Amino acid sequence: MSLSSTLNGSYLTPRLRINKVLPYFTSHTETHVSPKIDSSRTHVNYEVKEDVAVIRMNDPTSKVNTLSVQMQNEMIEVFNEVLANDAVQSAVLISSKPGCFIAGADINMIQACNTSEEVTKLSQEGQKMFARIENSPKPIVAAINGPCLGGGLEFAIACQYRVATKSKKTVLGTPEVMLGLLPGAGGTQRLPKMVGIPGAFDMMLTGRNIRADKAKKMGLVHQLVDPLGPGLKSPEERTIEYLEEVAIQCAKGIVNKKISLTKEKGMMQKVQDYVMGIEFVRQQIYKTVTAKVMKMSKGLYPAPLKIIESVKAGLEQGPDSGYLAEAQNFGKLAMTSESNALIGLYHGQVACKKNRFGVPERPVKNLAILGAGLMGAGIAQVTVDKGIHTVLKDTTVEGLSRGQQQVYKGLNDKTKKKTITSFERDFTLASLTGQLDYSGFEKADMVIEAVFEDLNIKHRVIKEVEAVIPPHCIFATNTSALPIKDIAAASIRPEKVIGMHYFSPVDKMQLLEIITTDKTSKDTTASAVAVGLKQGKVIIVVGDGPGFYTTRCLAPMLAEAVRLLQEGVDPKKLDALTTGFGFPVGAATLADEVGIDVAAHVAEDLGKAFGSRFGGGNVEVLKTMVEKGFKGRKSGKGCYVYTPGLKSKDVNPDIEDVLGKYKLTPNPLVSSDSDVQYRLVSRFVNEAVMCLQEGILNGPVEGDIGAVFGLGFPPCLGGPFRFVDTFGANKLVEKMKRYEEVYGNHFTPCQLLLDHAKDSSKRFHK
Amino acid sequence: SLCTSNIISNILPPVSLWTGTAVRYLDKKESVKPVISTGSEQRKVQTKSKKTLAKPGVKNIVLVEGVRTPFLLSGTTYADLMPHDLARAALQGLLHKTSLPKDAVDYIIYGTVIQEVKTSNVAREASLGAGFSDKIPSHTVTMACISSNVAMTTGVGLITAGQCDTIVAGGVEFMSDVPIRHSRKMRKTMLALNRAKTLGQRLSLIGSIRMAHLTPELPAVAEFSTAETMGHSADRLAAAFGVTRLEQDEFALRSHTLAKQAQDAGLLSDVISFKVPGRDTVAKDNGIRPSSMEQLAKLKPAFIKPHGTVTAANSSFLTDGASAVLIMSEEKALAMGYKPKAYLRDFVFVSQDPKDQLLLGPAYGTPKVLARAGLTMDDIDVFEFHEAFAGQIMANLKALDSDWFAQTYMGRKVKVGAPAMEKFNLWGGSLSLGHPFGATGCRLVTTVAHRLLKEGGQYGLVAACAAGGQGHAMVIEAYPQ
């Protein structure tokens, strides 16, 4: 089992690079005939092929191209030379990096600015630069292979024509919103014209990546090029060359008018244009989109609203107002705490996608999973398609077959969505072996057990497994609360025992919490992290202890939630207050998702381990609910009643009786809506800080990432540690002291938090 | 490094000479012949790595005869036949040409790709219909475009194993009619209807039929594992090897030109004439159309649009046709008074990535079979490669001539080299003669035998690619005359 949450994993995704802008440059430039290669330039160069200038970008200092200062300056130089060169009729813009066009810009450039005016100026310079590209008398063809995101996309859509490879790596998008920003170099103005208003809003408000074939359908690119296989050069190298050849043909085609830049509009397009031409319709769209944004973001994220505002300004008041609104809004957003928090999470995520324990001695090629339940099968699902042979073992045919079906369904859904072919699905499934015995375990490099959360069962399993696995094999245990050292006590080689705490549903939740004991060897840790990274996880590595980090932070918050229910707060109200604070899932719903039985189990275990500090709500409430069969979503009833097929849910009417039995009288001094929110959040945050104080956590970055990606801590706050920095430790302590007076040690701030409260210069994040 | 267009220009005049004057070029057919004769004169003095490929203790297996029906564009004169009719014609042609007694065959094997469901073991239906003794077992094999190669090598295996002495192998493909099925939904409903017991059940099933049920299911020309059509893959392959449109059109024109010359000169002696029931007698392939570079250049790409290079004209076309060969142990052939045409020697089957290397079978098979036989590229006098697409042939030639490719993908230290164009597909190929998938393999082997006889060479090499990323190559040795 594990903590379940429906935190929308796509809200924050990896690979973020933000839009950035190119400095404006003056239009009177020196004319000098193009040197073929200017050796003084390191990032951008060009060569003239017949009458086409092929401009190649390559940042030699990085795996990806970003619109860094250097890149921009050289690009300007080259662009001027190309414009001035009479031998050049057109140009192709291409990256010489296999697998990356432009991933965006250096976030640090914006973070280096101190005022919104500075950022606005950056934006305006970029707008002007791209305006020049857009108005270039010599057509420019963007040849796209690999990510074309943020500023890269804005650059590309300023070009006259776009050719993209149909590679899986080629994605286009405007992920700025995920960093609390907006496309600030003309994106909000050009996209609506290019892909229509609804399409543009969809791109900019979700920030999602768009694959090349979809981009072609949307009108974002004009032509697609197939990736090539082996030839006389490596596939990657030849594919770029081929892309360049096709792009050159296009550039020539535009010049000699064989390719028209004004495309024939289809009937649908004409109808859509007509409809969008009606002001009333547009107003309705703004209204609908705004309402949707407000519903989803609870108004906690300013960027989506500013995006709508900028688009609207351009469409309703003309380009001058539009570009101005975009630049000003960009400046404003860059200074918001939300953007700061989201950028912090981005950096944290990048850091948690690295293996700080080095390369393991031997890679895991054969992985065995014990228990084909939701977790076990979920782990198999994210492993089997990574080139790891996966054994899924259960004790019953029914259990195993349910698990196998789960893995199949996961892959088959991808087939239905056409992200993989049916052949790829079958080929992947060929790496999965389902079995009831331990045959083949002598070849296992790692065993992950996901059996029932009972120490005795775990001990039995570890002994059985150690009898059959080879000496190098790692034994990982997927538990959400049992201390690893207690499980390892039954092991004959504790240095090979480690905790791997997955979150449910495993294929959706990005976090993996790895738990090491004093005896866990560094190589074991390195290996577990390597497997997790292969599975696509964001990883935090924490110390051993009851509840580790994530469960330990969640438990006091849930205890508080139970107390609030006992105090008469309606589950719906409780949910509204938590989501209103920025949690993607309300506290009552979260309890149902986790499972009331699990919550009861954890509350009891951690209550024993940490004593009265973990009190609050009465565990008996949960226990009584379990007795009555209200185990949460899985049993159809919990705080709510779940009807299959129905999305809406009603409060479980029978819960009244249970709560009535344990009714508490609320103290009006600490029961305002805001107090309810801070009672929940402060206990969470205090526990997180205490984990850092006790050395369970390696640092605040992992603490923030774990809380946001594993527990759904509000992303707009950036995690508990950034929240303390932004909100002010002293203010938080002040609130807690007020609650402490009423409820006692449940709200006693830990020493580290007190230290920060005392000295305002102390911050978790620099 | 390789410049294939230069190699071609050994046979064809350089492009610059005949750009805009293709018609004039077509009149200069003699430009091909001198090269051939020069080639064979040189070959006579050439010393071979091996005098013969006969191995002690291994039975010599010989090709006694090979025939084929004329290969026709599908939808033409054969349109109303069934696949086994074509196979029957080939078998009867073989019987006629060899005067083989109808009960003297031990086993009959046929290759085919798109199966007519009524005659799924087309070998059996055809052999019965061709009048062979009903005591002769027959089975059908399939391996895409190398199906009849599998039929032949299966026969070789049976002889080597001592099971049989006389084998008839062949292949057939009939693209004028292909099984078009009801949709899966409709099939399911119809099968349920079969099992329905009451009128009510039947009516309710019939009532469940919707428009969507009526959408037919066409046999896919696409690779099952990748969902990519072969032409699309060929275009990507050509691009991967940097094969230009011009090179492909040149090669296609060469194929048609050489096929026409061979047809006119009566070299295609494996073609039998066939009185098609209800129609005329056909005696010639009808897809040979020497055109001009201008005409070829006008065509738009057929698969990758708009920048692809593979067109209808530089691809093989959908063809109806059948072939048959008589394969025997040498002793048996001699005992029966036959004069064998060639020895069938070493062969290999290869397979690789069905996505990016779908059509590279010849590049992988050629070095492997040469190594097996202990021969070098120079030892080979006659090359017959299956021409699926001009771009595919050029890509294979470039792959064979690339050290980088040999090292990176074939685990070889050096390249084996590209075949000399003056030995290569001199009587046309699949691009011009046509390509009935299941039947082409036997045509290739028979053509090698006939060319060895005609040109006086000793060793010939057959290579072909097939869907699924598979391939085949075989070495054939001339029978001493």
Side-chain angles (χ1 to χ4, degrees), chain A residues 28-40:
Chain A
H28 48 87
T29 50
E30 286 174 64
T31 314
H32 73 125
V33 183
S34 86
K36 265 211 158 178
I37 300 282
D38 183 337
S39 57
S40 69

Side-chain angles (χ1 to χ4, degrees), chain A residues 226-288:
Chain A
D226 287 281
L228 301 180
L232 298 177
K233 290 175 180 168
S234 78
E236 296 75 25
E237 202 184 334
R238 178 61 195 141
T239 298
I240 292 197
E241 229 177 60
Y242 181 48
L243 172 66
E244 182 179 310
E245 289 164 14
V246 173
I248 288 175
Q249 279 178 35
C250 292
K252 286 183 182 167
I254 296 168
V255 170
N256 63 28
K257 311 262 186 256
K258 274 188 184 156
I259 294 175
S260 162
L261 290 175
T262 50
K263 60 168 181 182
E264 282 276 308
K265 282 181 179 170
M267 193 56 201
M268 277 306 290
Q269 188 61 42
K270 281 181 188 159
V271 170
Q272 205 184 353
D273 285 0
Y274 173 75
V275 172
M276 291 303 159
I278 306 167
E279 199 197 328
F280 173 74
V281 173
R282 292 198 305 272
Q283 294 300 339
Q284 282 307 112
I285 291 179
Y286 304 139
K287 230 172 105 182
T288 315

Side-chain angles (χ1 to χ4, degrees), chain A residues 223-224 226-235 238 242 246 421 423, chain B residues 225 232 236 239-242 304 306-307 356-357 398 402 404-405 409:
Chain A
Q223 201 169 316
L224 296 179
D226 287 281
L228 301 180
L232 298 177
K233 290 175 180 168
S234 78
R238 178 61 195 141
Y242 181 48
V246 173
T421 64
F423 168 76
Chain B
S225 63
H232 195 276
R236 288 197 302 114
F241 282 91
I304 294 184
H307 54 268
D356 289 334
Q357 306 200 1
K398 293 192 182 207
S402 160
W404 186 82
F405 189 85
Y409 294 102

Side-chain angles (χ1 to χ4, degrees), chain A residues 167-168 209 211 213 385 409-425 428:
Chain A
S167 149
K168 277 187 180 170
N209 286 339
R211 284 190 316 214
D213 45 356
D385 60 347
K409 188 177 179 295
L411 289 167
N412 198 43
D413 287 349
K414 284 187 186 173
T415 308
K416 282 187 192 157
K417 282 188 209 150
K418 298 201 170 155
T419 47
I420 60 170
T421 64
S422 60
F423 168 76
E424 285 168 318
R425 174 199 66 203
T428 302

